[in-house]
Structure formats: structure tokens, C-alpha cells
Amino acid sequence: MKVRITGTGWELPEYEADNNYLSTIVETSDEWITERTGIRKRHLVKDETTTSLAAGAAKKALLNAGMKAEEIQLLIVATISSDTETPSTACQVQALLGAAHAVAFDINAACSGFLYAVHIAEAFIKSGMYENALLIGAETLSKLVDWTDRGTCVLFGDGAGAAVLTASESQGILSQSIGSNGSKWEVLSCAGRPNQNPLCQGEGTPGYLRMDGQEVFKFAVKTVPICIEDALKKAGLSPDEVTYFLLHQANRRIIQSVAKRLKQPEERFPMNIDQCANTSAASLPILLAQMNEQGRLHPGDRLVLSGFGAGLTWGACVLEW
Ligand code: UT7
């Protein structure tokens, strides 16, 4: 038995902030951001929330899959920017959708979150415990970045993407490769609230995203090709047999470097980073859903989805569309 994606959806906040707008907030320029990252603009929330974006993407994915919310058995939201500490975003989305029969929970694997969700859902569906799953990557990273730090605030955007997974006899997920290296957690992190109980009187700053960009860059260009090659080997495929490589949209230069290492033309690495920037856990499902909507995916296409991020975490998934 295989597990396949039967529907996708995406949702972005209405407001678009281009690089020139950001140059009025921090000392930066359209030229620097475009050249170093490939980003031209990002969507930022005004009235939307992580939950509302997640629910919007999920509704479209259900429609695309031809399923009703009540049929969903497993609902996972991958996010690091939940609107509430508790309950989970997944439970709030469950209520908005009316997915009354689903088991709903969040996972935190940063930019690899969607692939971690796929990993979990495939195991549950293959075990026979559930027949389907609704997976959502949703972020409002604009509330986690320090808007005085030009090294990070220009990189991220808000948004959500979703996919419905169901058991399948023929096409679907062929292999996965996934990993974590907690010893490098400090390279990219966001502190929680300081504890101010009567004993701690905790000090500290609010939880802003802090990143050693060059370390993350080096980690990504080294780990992603290895991870993809491992997943392809498990699927018995060579990179030449892949229709599209969908990579986490963090930096165009990272994607170009991976393409070079895999000796594949850049055209097989679709990008929307210029429009959306880095939306963390939402990045892969947004890209997948946009390609699906544009009619660029055909039965039999072989796709590689690969992501990397805080943790450190990484993953790759090979599937037949
Ligand atoms: O989702 C996963 C998370 N993150 C990533 O994947 C990020 C991975 N890393 C990167 O994408 C890149 O390292 C960055 C885009 C973050 C930075 O690019 P870089 O080529 O590594 O630049 P840098 O950090 O070496 O900085 C070069 C210069 C510095 O100035 P000096 O010291 O040379 O005078 C920075 O202060 O660029 C300066 N700089 C900026 N200048 C204008 C840093 N940010 C900006 C900015 N605008 N926004």
C-alpha cells in the first residue's frame, strides 16, 4: 500500500511588502535582498492569523481532494508560530473546518515541519490506524522576527499550505529520508517567554528569531543533496528520473547550489521565493499547491520534496504524482 496526495491548497495574507518597503524600515536595499536571496517581496499578515491562514489553505485542499472535513481522521499542523501556547493550531483549525472526527495536533520541526508531518502521516496510514490525513504548514513568522535586525527580517514571510493524504494502491510516496541534529540547535532559534515565577524572576528578551545565516547556509548546501540522494536511492531512482525537485524556499542560492551538486538543470527546481520569501513550514506545501493549481503536475511525475531548518532538521520525500 502507498500513501498519496489527493488535494492541495494554499493561502497567503493579502498585504504584500516588497523589498523597497523594507528598506524604509531597516538599512537594506532591493539590490542586496534580491542578489543574496532571490526574494522580491513577501506577504505579511494584518488581520490574518496562523490559524486563519491554515484553515484557508486546508479548505482549498479538501475541495481539491473532493473530501468533506468530517471525513478527515488525522489533522496535523506544522508550525513554529502558533497563535496560542495552547491549544494547538490544529485544534483551532479543526473547529473552524468542522473536522469533528479528526485527531488534531501540532508539530514543531521549523522549516522541515511539513516533511515531518508527511513522515508521521505515512506511518499512521500505512499502519492501518487512519485512512487519511490533512497536513498543514502554517506560519506568521512576521511576529517572531526582530524588525530591527536586517539580517533576518528581510528573509521571512507569512502563509500556509495544505495537503490531503490518503491510502492508495498505485502511485504515491516512494521513499523518505529524514533527520535531526540537536547539537546545532543554537544556529537558528527563537527563545520562549522568560519564566517569571516567584523563584526565577526570569530575565531575558522576548522570543525573537536569531540565526547564524552562514552556518545555516553551509548546513543546507551540504545536507540537502545527501538527503535527496539517500531518498532517491531508497526509491531506486536516479536524479535524472525526477520531474521536479521542490526545495524549501529559503534562498535561491541554496537551491542553485543543490541543483549543481545533483547535476540537474535549474528549470527542474521550481521557485516562488521571489513572491513569498521564506515561509518556514508553509514553504513546501505552498509551492506544491501552486504548481498543482497551475496544472504543472501530471500523473506519473516523480517529485522530490526537500526541506531543512531549525533543530537542526532536514528531510526529503520522493513521490509519484
Ligand atoms: O529556513 C532556513 C533558515 N535560513 C536560511 O536558510 C538562511 C541561510 N543563510 C542565508 O540565506 C544567507 O546567509 C543570508 C541571506 C542570511 C545572508 O547572506 P550572506 O551572503 O551570508 O551575507 P552575510 O551574512 O555574510 O552578510 C554580508 C554583509 C554584512 O555586512 P559586512 O559585515 O560585510 O559589512 C551584513 O551586515 O551584508 C550585510 N547584511 C545586509 N546588508 C543589507 C546583512 N543583512 C543585510 C540586509 N541588507 N538585509
Side-chain angles (χ1 to χ4, degrees), residues 88-133:
S88 64
T89 301
C91 281
Q92 295 175 69
V93 171
Q94 174 183 31
L96 286 175
L97 297 178
H101 303 297
V103 173
F105 58 89
D106 288 1
I107 57 158
N108 176 338
C111 308
S112 312
F114 183 73
L115 288 174
Y116 272 56
V118 171
H119 199 57
I120 295 166
E122 189 196 17
F124 268 122
I125 295 172
K126 274 193 163 168
S127 77
M129 197 171 288
Y130 303 118
E131 285 165 20
N132 61 52

mmCIF file of all heavy atoms in Angstrom, residues 88-133:
data_model
loop_
_atom_site.group_PDB
_atom_site.id
_atom_site.type_symbol
_atom_site.label_atom_id
_atom_site.label_comp_id
_atom_site.label_asym_id
_atom_site.label_seq_id
_atom_site.Cartn_x
_atom_site.Cartn_y
_atom_site.Cartn_z
ATOM 1 N N SER A 88 -3.422 23.786 20.545
ATOM 2 C CA SER A 88 -2.666 23.745 19.299
ATOM 3 C C SER A 88 -3.409 24.488 18.186
ATOM 4 O O SER A 88 -4.645 24.630 18.246
ATOM 5 C CB SER A 88 -2.457 22.295 18.876
ATOM 6 O OG SER A 88 -3.712 21.704 18.587
ATOM 7 N N THR A 89 -2.666 24.898 17.179
ATOM 8 C CA THR A 89 -3.304 25.471 15.980
ATOM 9 C C THR A 89 -4.217 24.421 15.355
ATOM 10 O O THR A 89 -5.321 24.731 14.892
ATOM 11 C CB THR A 89 -2.231 25.902 14.960
ATOM 12 O OG1 THR A 89 -1.380 26.861 15.583
ATOM 13 C CG2 THR A 89 -2.845 26.522 13.713
ATOM 14 N N ALA A 90 -3.771 23.165 15.380
ATOM 15 C CA ALA A 90 -4.553 22.086 14.750
ATOM 16 C C ALA A 90 -5.956 21.994 15.356
ATOM 17 O O ALA A 90 -6.934 21.821 14.629
ATOM 18 C CB ALA A 90 -3.818 20.756 14.892
ATOM 19 N N CYS A 91 -6.062 22.131 16.685
ATOM 20 C CA CYS A 91 -7.385 22.046 17.315
ATOM 21 C C CYS A 91 -8.265 23.229 16.915
ATOM 22 O O CYS A 91 -9.474 23.075 16.722
ATOM 23 C CB CYS A 91 -7.242 21.965 18.837
ATOM 24 S SG CYS A 91 -6.790 20.310 19.381
ATOM 25 N N GLN A 92 -7.645 24.400 16.771
ATOM 26 C CA GLN A 92 -8.429 25.571 16.370
ATOM 27 C C GLN A 92 -8.882 25.445 14.915
ATOM 28 O O GLN A 92 -10.001 25.829 14.555
ATOM 29 C CB GLN A 92 -7.609 26.846 16.597
ATOM 30 C CG GLN A 92 -7.322 27.071 18.084
ATOM 31 C CD GLN A 92 -6.402 28.256 18.326
ATOM 32 O OE1 GLN A 92 -6.788 29.391 18.107
ATOM 33 N NE2 GLN A 92 -5.206 27.987 18.775
ATOM 34 N N VAL A 93 -7.998 24.892 14.071
ATOM 35 C CA VAL A 93 -8.358 24.662 12.669
ATOM 36 C C VAL A 93 -9.464 23.607 12.596
ATOM 37 O O VAL A 93 -10.409 23.733 11.816
ATOM 38 C CB VAL A 93 -7.121 24.225 11.842
ATOM 39 C CG1 VAL A 93 -7.521 23.767 10.455
ATOM 40 C CG2 VAL A 93 -6.116 25.369 11.750
ATOM 41 N N GLN A 94 -9.333 22.585 13.424
ATOM 42 C CA GLN A 94 -10.365 21.539 13.469
ATOM 43 C C GLN A 94 -11.746 22.154 13.697
ATOM 44 O O GLN A 94 -12.714 21.817 13.010
ATOM 45 C CB GLN A 94 -10.051 20.549 14.602
ATOM 46 C CG GLN A 94 -11.144 19.515 14.801
ATOM 47 C CD GLN A 94 -10.855 18.582 15.965
ATOM 48 O OE1 GLN A 94 -10.224 18.967 16.940
ATOM 49 N NE2 GLN A 94 -11.306 17.351 15.839
ATOM 50 N N ALA A 95 -11.800 23.103 14.648
ATOM 51 C CA ALA A 95 -13.080 23.751 14.958
ATOM 52 C C ALA A 95 -13.574 24.579 13.766
ATOM 53 O O ALA A 95 -14.757 24.526 13.414
ATOM 54 C CB ALA A 95 -12.918 24.634 16.190
ATOM 55 N N LEU A 96 -12.675 25.330 13.140
ATOM 56 C CA LEU A 96 -13.083 26.173 12.010
ATOM 57 C C LEU A 96 -13.584 25.346 10.827
ATOM 58 O O LEU A 96 -14.492 25.756 10.109
ATOM 59 C CB LEU A 96 -11.912 27.055 11.561
ATOM 60 C CG LEU A 96 -11.561 28.231 12.472
ATOM 61 C CD1 LEU A 96 -10.309 28.938 11.977
ATOM 62 C CD2 LEU A 96 -12.715 29.225 12.545
ATOM 63 N N LEU A 97 -12.951 24.177 10.631
ATOM 64 C CA LEU A 97 -13.332 23.337 9.486
ATOM 65 C C LEU A 97 -14.549 22.465 9.784
ATOM 66 O O LEU A 97 -15.243 22.030 8.868
ATOM 67 C CB LEU A 97 -12.175 22.401 9.101
ATOM 68 C CG LEU A 97 -10.862 23.013 8.624
ATOM 69 C CD1 LEU A 97 -9.856 21.915 8.343
ATOM 70 C CD2 LEU A 97 -11.080 23.862 7.374
ATOM 71 N N GLY A 98 -14.748 22.148 11.059
ATOM 72 C CA GLY A 98 -15.756 21.154 11.419
ATOM 73 C C GLY A 98 -15.243 19.738 11.182
ATOM 74 O O GLY A 98 -16.010 18.846 10.834
ATOM 75 N N ALA A 99 -13.939 19.567 11.377
ATOM 76 C CA ALA A 99 -13.332 18.228 11.185
ATOM 77 C C ALA A 99 -13.466 17.440 12.489
ATOM 78 O O ALA A 99 -12.471 17.055 13.135
ATOM 79 C CB ALA A 99 -11.860 18.375 10.776
ATOM 80 N N ALA A 100 -14.721 17.188 12.855
ATOM 81 C CA ALA A 100 -15.034 16.698 14.204
ATOM 82 C C ALA A 100 -14.467 15.323 14.520
ATOM 83 O O ALA A 100 -14.316 14.976 15.692
ATOM 84 C CB ALA A 100 -16.549 16.681 14.384
ATOM 85 N N HIS A 101 -14.141 14.532 13.482
ATOM 86 C CA HIS A 101 -13.687 13.161 13.756
ATOM 87 C C HIS A 101 -12.174 13.016 13.707
ATOM 88 O O HIS A 101 -11.646 11.899 13.775
ATOM 89 C CB HIS A 101 -14.346 12.194 12.765
ATOM 90 C CG HIS A 101 -15.843 12.278 12.819
ATOM 91 N ND1 HIS A 101 -16.555 11.953 13.945
ATOM 92 C CD2 HIS A 101 -16.756 12.716 11.910
ATOM 93 C CE1 HIS A 101 -17.841 12.145 13.722
ATOM 94 N NE2 HIS A 101 -17.981 12.626 12.503
ATOM 95 N N ALA A 102 -11.464 14.142 13.562
ATOM 96 C CA ALA A 102 -10.002 14.057 13.422
ATOM 97 C C ALA A 102 -9.302 14.084 14.778
ATOM 98 O O ALA A 102 -9.779 14.692 15.732
ATOM 99 C CB ALA A 102 -9.502 15.228 12.576
ATOM 100 N N VAL A 103 -8.140 13.424 14.837
ATOM 101 C CA VAL A 103 -7.208 13.614 15.953
ATOM 102 C C VAL A 103 -6.306 14.762 15.502
ATOM 103 O O VAL A 103 -5.696 14.687 14.444
ATOM 104 C CB VAL A 103 -6.354 12.347 16.170
ATOM 105 C CG1 VAL A 103 -5.282 12.603 17.208
ATOM 106 C CG2 VAL A 103 -7.240 11.201 16.579
ATOM 107 N N ALA A 104 -6.262 15.840 16.293
ATOM 108 C CA ALA A 104 -5.571 17.055 15.823
ATOM 109 C C ALA A 104 -4.430 17.437 16.753
ATOM 110 O O ALA A 104 -4.601 17.499 17.967
ATOM 111 C CB ALA A 104 -6.577 18.205 15.730
ATOM 112 N N PHE A 105 -3.267 17.682 16.168
ATOM 113 C CA PHE A 105 -2.121 18.148 16.966
ATOM 114 C C PHE A 105 -1.122 18.881 16.097
ATOM 115 O O PHE A 105 -1.122 18.739 14.875
ATOM 116 C CB PHE A 105 -1.450 16.984 17.708
ATOM 117 C CG PHE A 105 -0.954 15.866 16.818
ATOM 118 C CD1 PHE A 105 0.328 15.892 16.273
ATOM 119 C CD2 PHE A 105 -1.767 14.774 16.540
ATOM 120 C CE1 PHE A 105 0.782 14.857 15.467
ATOM 121 C CE2 PHE A 105 -1.312 13.732 15.729
ATOM 122 C CZ PHE A 105 -0.039 13.779 15.194
ATOM 123 N N ASP A 106 -0.264 19.673 16.752
ATOM 124 C CA ASP A 106 0.794 20.420 16.050
ATOM 125 C C ASP A 106 2.121 19.698 16.185
ATOM 126 O O ASP A 106 2.336 18.951 17.150
ATOM 127 C CB ASP A 106 0.994 21.801 16.698
ATOM 128 C CG ASP A 106 -0.142 22.768 16.416
ATOM 129 O OD1 ASP A 106 -1.097 22.381 15.730
ATOM 130 O OD2 ASP A 106 -0.047 23.911 16.898
ATOM 131 N N ILE A 107 3.017 19.971 15.251
ATOM 132 C CA ILE A 107 4.407 19.541 15.418
ATOM 133 C C ILE A 107 5.322 20.723 15.150
ATOM 134 O O ILE A 107 4.987 21.631 14.388
ATOM 135 C CB ILE A 107 4.781 18.358 14.501
ATOM 136 C CG1 ILE A 107 4.533 18.706 13.037
ATOM 137 C CG2 ILE A 107 4.033 17.105 14.892
ATOM 138 C CD1 ILE A 107 5.333 17.843 12.112
ATOM 139 N N ASN A 108 6.472 20.704 15.812
ATOM 140 C CA ASN A 108 7.444 21.781 15.690
ATOM 141 C C ASN A 108 8.731 21.220 15.116
ATOM 142 O O ASN A 108 9.501 20.584 15.819
ATOM 143 C CB ASN A 108 7.680 22.383 17.087
ATOM 144 C CG ASN A 108 8.755 23.455 17.091
ATOM 145 O OD1 ASN A 108 9.607 23.510 16.198
ATOM 146 N ND2 ASN A 108 8.729 24.307 18.097
ATOM 147 N N ALA A 109 8.915 21.383 13.821
ATOM 148 C CA ALA A 109 10.180 20.992 13.190
ATOM 149 C C ALA A 109 10.606 22.098 12.227
ATOM 150 O O ALA A 109 11.242 21.841 11.208
ATOM 151 C CB ALA A 109 10.053 19.660 12.476
ATOM 152 N N ALA A 110 10.204 23.330 12.552
ATOM 153 C CA ALA A 110 10.580 24.533 11.792
ATOM 154 C C ALA A 110 10.346 24.331 10.294
ATOM 155 O O ALA A 110 9.284 23.857 9.896
ATOM 156 C CB ALA A 110 12.015 24.915 12.115
ATOM 157 N N CYS A 111 11.336 24.671 9.485
ATOM 158 C CA CYS A 111 11.136 24.654 8.030
ATOM 159 C C CYS A 111 10.996 23.240 7.472
ATOM 160 O O CYS A 111 10.548 23.065 6.342
ATOM 161 C CB CYS A 111 12.270 25.389 7.333
ATOM 162 S SG CYS A 111 12.539 27.033 8.002
ATOM 163 N N SER A 112 11.386 22.232 8.253
ATOM 164 C CA SER A 112 11.203 20.840 7.815
ATOM 165 C C SER A 112 9.852 20.299 8.267
ATOM 166 O O SER A 112 9.543 19.119 8.048
ATOM 167 C CB SER A 112 12.301 19.938 8.397
ATOM 168 O OG SER A 112 13.570 20.509 8.224
ATOM 169 N N GLY A 113 9.052 21.127 8.921
ATOM 170 C CA GLY A 113 7.839 20.667 9.581
ATOM 171 C C GLY A 113 6.878 19.924 8.676
ATOM 172 O O GLY A 113 6.299 18.905 9.082
ATOM 173 N N PHE A 114 6.677 20.416 7.456
ATOM 174 C CA PHE A 114 5.719 19.751 6.571
ATOM 175 C C PHE A 114 6.199 18.332 6.247
ATOM 176 O O PHE A 114 5.409 17.384 6.235
ATOM 177 C CB PHE A 114 5.503 20.564 5.290
ATOM 178 C CG PHE A 114 4.475 19.955 4.377
ATOM 179 C CD1 PHE A 114 3.128 20.001 4.692
ATOM 180 C CD2 PHE A 114 4.857 19.298 3.216
ATOM 181 C CE1 PHE A 114 2.169 19.412 3.867
ATOM 182 C CE2 PHE A 114 3.911 18.704 2.382
ATOM 183 C CZ PHE A 114 2.566 18.769 2.710
ATOM 184 N N LEU A 115 7.509 18.188 6.021
ATOM 185 C CA LEU A 115 8.026 16.850 5.705
ATOM 186 C C LEU A 115 7.962 15.927 6.916
ATOM 187 O O LEU A 115 7.734 14.729 6.777
ATOM 188 C CB LEU A 115 9.466 16.949 5.188
ATOM 189 C CG LEU A 115 9.576 17.542 3.781
ATOM 190 C CD1 LEU A 115 11.029 17.746 3.402
ATOM 191 C CD2 LEU A 115 8.900 16.634 2.766
ATOM 192 N N TYR A 116 8.153 16.480 8.097
ATOM 193 C CA TYR A 116 7.978 15.676 9.309
ATOM 194 C C TYR A 116 6.518 15.214 9.419
ATOM 195 O O TYR A 116 6.237 14.082 9.811
ATOM 196 C CB TYR A 116 8.379 16.474 10.553
ATOM 197 C CG TYR A 116 9.841 16.372 10.928
ATOM 198 C CD1 TYR A 116 10.846 16.710 10.025
ATOM 199 C CD2 TYR A 116 10.227 15.928 12.183
ATOM 200 C CE1 TYR A 116 12.186 16.625 10.372
ATOM 201 C CE2 TYR A 116 11.571 15.833 12.545
ATOM 202 C CZ TYR A 116 12.548 16.185 11.634
ATOM 203 O OH TYR A 116 13.872 16.093 11.981
ATOM 204 N N ALA A 117 5.605 16.103 9.066
ATOM 205 C CA ALA A 117 4.175 15.741 9.103
ATOM 206 C C ALA A 117 3.879 14.624 8.107
ATOM 207 O O ALA A 117 3.126 13.685 8.407
ATOM 208 C CB ALA A 117 3.316 16.972 8.814
ATOM 209 N N VAL A 118 4.484 14.712 6.924
ATOM 210 C CA VAL A 118 4.302 13.657 5.916
ATOM 211 C C VAL A 118 4.830 12.331 6.457
ATOM 212 O O VAL A 118 4.212 11.269 6.303
ATOM 213 C CB VAL A 118 5.031 14.032 4.589
ATOM 214 C CG1 VAL A 118 5.042 12.859 3.617
ATOM 215 C CG2 VAL A 118 4.380 15.249 3.936
ATOM 216 N N HIS A 119 5.990 12.404 7.124
ATOM 217 C CA HIS A 119 6.618 11.214 7.714
ATOM 218 C C HIS A 119 5.664 10.544 8.712
ATOM 219 O O HIS A 119 5.451 9.327 8.675
ATOM 220 C CB HIS A 119 7.887 11.693 8.429
ATOM 221 C CG HIS A 119 8.887 10.629 8.708
ATOM 222 N ND1 HIS A 119 9.440 9.844 7.734
ATOM 223 C CD2 HIS A 119 9.440 10.227 9.873
ATOM 224 C CE1 HIS A 119 10.289 9.005 8.283
ATOM 225 N NE2 HIS A 119 10.304 9.209 9.590
ATOM 226 N N ILE A 120 5.091 11.356 9.580
ATOM 227 C CA ILE A 120 4.175 10.849 10.615
ATOM 228 C C ILE A 120 2.911 10.274 9.955
ATOM 229 O O ILE A 120 2.476 9.165 10.270
ATOM 230 C CB ILE A 120 3.785 11.981 11.596
ATOM 231 C CG1 ILE A 120 5.008 12.460 12.379
ATOM 232 C CG2 ILE A 120 2.684 11.519 12.549
ATOM 233 C CD1 ILE A 120 4.789 13.781 13.113
ATOM 234 N N ALA A 121 2.343 11.039 9.031
ATOM 235 C CA ALA A 121 1.072 10.626 8.409
ATOM 236 C C ALA A 121 1.241 9.347 7.616
ATOM 237 O O ALA A 121 0.365 8.460 7.653
ATOM 238 C CB ALA A 121 0.546 11.748 7.513
ATOM 239 N N GLU A 122 2.355 9.226 6.905
ATOM 240 C CA GLU A 122 2.560 7.997 6.118
ATOM 241 C C GLU A 122 2.582 6.782 7.046
ATOM 242 O O GLU A 122 1.978 5.745 6.756
ATOM 243 C CB GLU A 122 3.859 8.069 5.301
ATOM 244 C CG GLU A 122 3.943 6.882 4.335
ATOM 245 C CD GLU A 122 5.319 6.620 3.741
ATOM 246 O OE1 GLU A 122 6.323 7.113 4.272
ATOM 247 O OE2 GLU A 122 5.369 5.880 2.738
ATOM 248 N N ALA A 123 3.278 6.923 8.183
ATOM 249 C CA ALA A 123 3.371 5.805 9.126
ATOM 250 C C ALA A 123 1.987 5.437 9.681
ATOM 251 O O ALA A 123 1.631 4.256 9.755
ATOM 252 C CB ALA A 123 4.325 6.161 10.265
ATOM 253 N N PHE A 124 1.207 6.455 10.048
ATOM 254 C CA PHE A 124 -0.130 6.183 10.592
ATOM 255 C C PHE A 124 -1.028 5.508 9.539
ATOM 256 O O PHE A 124 -1.756 4.564 9.848
ATOM 257 C CB PHE A 124 -0.796 7.494 11.039
ATOM 258 C CG PHE A 124 -0.556 7.838 12.487
ATOM 259 C CD1 PHE A 124 0.047 9.036 12.840
ATOM 260 C CD2 PHE A 124 -0.954 6.972 13.501
ATOM 261 C CE1 PHE A 124 0.261 9.374 14.173
ATOM 262 C CE2 PHE A 124 -0.749 7.298 14.842
ATOM 263 C CZ PHE A 124 -0.137 8.500 15.178
ATOM 264 N N ILE A 125 -0.984 6.022 8.314
ATOM 265 C CA ILE A 125 -1.869 5.472 7.277
ATOM 266 C C ILE A 125 -1.434 4.055 6.902
ATOM 267 O O ILE A 125 -2.247 3.145 6.787
ATOM 268 C CB ILE A 125 -1.938 6.406 6.044
ATOM 269 C CG1 ILE A 125 -2.587 7.746 6.433
ATOM 270 C CG2 ILE A 125 -2.730 5.760 4.904
ATOM 271 C CD1 ILE A 125 -2.548 8.832 5.370
ATOM 272 N N LYS A 126 -0.107 3.870 6.765
ATOM 273 C CA LYS A 126 0.383 2.525 6.408
ATOM 274 C C LYS A 126 0.094 1.503 7.506
ATOM 275 O O LYS A 126 -0.101 0.328 7.234
ATOM 276 C CB LYS A 126 1.884 2.577 6.138
ATOM 277 C CG LYS A 126 2.188 2.972 4.699
ATOM 278 C CD LYS A 126 3.630 2.709 4.385
ATOM 279 C CE LYS A 126 3.883 2.685 2.897
ATOM 280 N NZ LYS A 126 5.297 2.701 2.589
ATOM 281 N N SER A 127 0.073 1.961 8.742
ATOM 282 C CA SER A 127 -0.193 1.038 9.859
ATOM 283 C C SER A 127 -1.657 0.593 9.872
ATOM 284 O O SER A 127 -2.011 -0.342 10.568
ATOM 285 C CB SER A 127 0.128 1.716 11.189
ATOM 286 O OG SER A 127 -0.908 2.629 11.534
ATOM 287 N N GLY A 128 -2.497 1.316 9.134
ATOM 288 C CA GLY A 128 -3.914 0.994 9.110
ATOM 289 C C GLY A 128 -4.712 1.719 10.188
ATOM 290 O O GLY A 128 -5.925 1.573 10.293
ATOM 291 N N MET A 129 -4.011 2.533 10.983
ATOM 292 C CA MET A 129 -4.713 3.220 12.070
ATOM 293 C C MET A 129 -5.659 4.307 11.540
ATOM 294 O O MET A 129 -6.741 4.500 12.061
ATOM 295 C CB MET A 129 -3.689 3.835 13.023
ATOM 296 C CG MET A 129 -4.300 4.201 14.354
ATOM 297 S SD MET A 129 -3.063 4.672 15.555
ATOM 298 C CE MET A 129 -2.290 3.142 15.929
ATOM 299 N N TYR A 130 -5.206 5.040 10.520
ATOM 300 C CA TYR A 130 -6.066 6.051 9.876
ATOM 301 C C TYR A 130 -6.041 5.844 8.365
ATOM 302 O O TYR A 130 -5.051 5.359 7.823
ATOM 303 C CB TYR A 130 -5.578 7.474 10.191
ATOM 304 C CG TYR A 130 -5.510 7.764 11.672
ATOM 305 C CD1 TYR A 130 -4.297 8.076 12.276
ATOM 306 C CD2 TYR A 130 -6.651 7.725 12.469
ATOM 307 C CE1 TYR A 130 -4.221 8.329 13.639
ATOM 308 C CE2 TYR A 130 -6.587 7.974 13.828
ATOM 309 C CZ TYR A 130 -5.371 8.283 14.413
ATOM 310 O OH TYR A 130 -5.299 8.513 15.750
ATOM 311 N N GLU A 131 -7.130 6.271 7.713
ATOM 312 C CA GLU A 131 -7.194 6.130 6.250
ATOM 313 C C GLU A 131 -6.747 7.384 5.528
ATOM 314 O O GLU A 131 -6.444 7.362 4.338
ATOM 315 C CB GLU A 131 -8.628 5.826 5.823
ATOM 316 C CG GLU A 131 -9.046 4.406 6.117
ATOM 317 C CD GLU A 131 -10.548 4.233 6.028
ATOM 318 O OE1 GLU A 131 -11.215 5.067 5.391
ATOM 319 O OE2 GLU A 131 -11.053 3.265 6.616
ATOM 320 N N ASN A 132 -6.768 8.514 6.242
ATOM 321 C CA ASN A 132 -6.394 9.766 5.578
ATOM 322 C C ASN A 132 -5.843 10.758 6.588
ATOM 323 O O ASN A 132 -5.952 10.544 7.804
ATOM 324 C CB ASN A 132 -7.611 10.369 4.853
ATOM 325 C CG ASN A 132 -8.728 10.693 5.833
ATOM 326 O OD1 ASN A 132 -8.505 11.363 6.829
ATOM 327 N ND2 ASN A 132 -9.931 10.204 5.573
ATOM 328 N N ALA A 133 -5.256 11.819 6.046
ATOM 329 C CA ALA A 133 -4.712 12.866 6.919
ATOM 330 C C ALA A 133 -4.756 14.200 6.189
ATOM 331 O O ALA A 133 -4.593 14.259 4.963
ATOM 332 C CB ALA A 133 -3.274 12.541 7.305
#
